[in-house]
Amino acid sequence: MTAAIEGISDAPVLFSTEPTDCGHLIGITTLNMPKSLNALSVEMCQLLSQQLEQWQGDEQVVALLLKGAGDKAFCAGGDIRRLYDSMSATAPMPNPYATDFFGHEYSLYRQMHFYPKPLILWGDGIIMGGGMGLMAGCSHRLVTERTRFAMPEITIGLFPDASGSWFLQRMPAKTGLFLGLTGAMCNGSDALLTNLAEYGVGSQDYDVIMQRLTQSDWQVAANSTDKCDNNSAYSIVSRALAAQPVAELPASKLAQHWCAIQQLINRGGLGDIDALLQSDEALTELDADFAADSWTQRAVATYRHGCPVTAALTYALYHKVTDLSLEQVLYLETNVAVHCAANPDFKEGVRALLIDKDRTPNWSRTLAECLSAEGQDYIQQHFTNPYAKGEHPLDDWLSAAALGNEAVR
């Protein structure tokens, strides 16, 4: 039986615990904004962070599970409506609300990546943007036949943030760069292929999986804090989830087309990639089956209609973060995000997609203009720290006491 910690059913995040047969607890976190597809707000990030910290210090809690309310989405991104409202012509630079929004969101991702207890994701339904950041921060990720994930920021003039620069870089055959440029919608099999998930299960299997977890022997984990130990909580969760029969998921489009995608992304610089993506004839010459697939055609259409500045930022970030730590990546993403909140394309993209819903954004630059000397200066300005000395919200991350440094001592 679930014991309520937060008893308010209309709270944006619900917390409860599930008792195990041996007297321990599994913490359950439910994003509770189904009408907005559980989009993340500042308040939700704060609540999640506070509860993670509380459960970290509770020896009874052996593992945590994250899920979304409703049957449509785990989390479809960040709640950017208020962020849009803050992006006025008179807003200071850096925008205080943008600092608050991205600072709390990125701090939560960092906390999750270094969390000492297993974080289990029930990744059923839509997962986009900020939801992808949560997904990437979990240690054990389950996807279903209903999972749909994407990084569609090119449609709103932002960039694949929420640690996207980190996990897109780590996908095989440069498929992450393709997904960042095109916002292509992927499925559970794609998540397994790209190291975003470990287990494919049926959407009806939640109760059975919870039973496997609660019936596991958690007593042995009390004596092991080493993730590599065969009796650690991580190993116990892995065994419980692996015991669930593998579900039949939709076929992976990335696996089907990886060769064409790899050739496309390695065609040359961004200008060369763009020339190929803008030409139906060139795509057909590259790979006729790839070009004829409706999945490819939707991705290409998204790219062609998308923001050129986003494409340039996505390409630059992909190559810039190759050797950076997670904390360095999130620090850099904060700089870029705050600059985007001050520049015209992000506001225009949100207006066209979510406010006026006319889907006809007037982007500030063409890609050719982004690739000019002046345009490249503009793109590079996004990476500069916009804060006065000591005021960057993530300054302490790069100190000798940073969590990332703790991991390699």
Side-chain angles (χ1 to χ4, degrees), residues 103-158:
H104 281 96
E105 182 184 356
Y106 296 176
S107 293
L108 173 62
Y109 300 146
R110 181 231 202 181
Q111 181 181 12
M112 292 174 65
H113 274 275
F114 292 101
Y115 202 68
K117 297 181 180 181
L119 294 175
I120 307 164
L121 174 79
W122 179 249
D124 185 39
I126 297 169
I127 311 174
M128 295 193 295
M132 294 287 289
L134 295 176
M135 184 181 200
C138 289
S139 61
H140 296 75
R141 292 143 321 171
L142 300 108
V143 288
T144 77
E145 78 283 357
R146 302 192 303 190
T147 299
R148 298 291 182 272
F149 75 88
M151 292 298 285
E153 287 77 9
I154 196 162
T155 63
I156 57 171
L158 186 57

Side-chain angles (χ1 to χ4, degrees), residues 28 36 81 146 158 193 229 235 248 338 358 360 385 408:
I28 310 294
S36 65
R81 177 57 193 259
R146 302 192 303 190
L158 186 57
L193 177 72
D229 191 306
S235 297
E248 184 175 345
V338 171
D358 56 32
T360 56
N385 180 0
V408 296

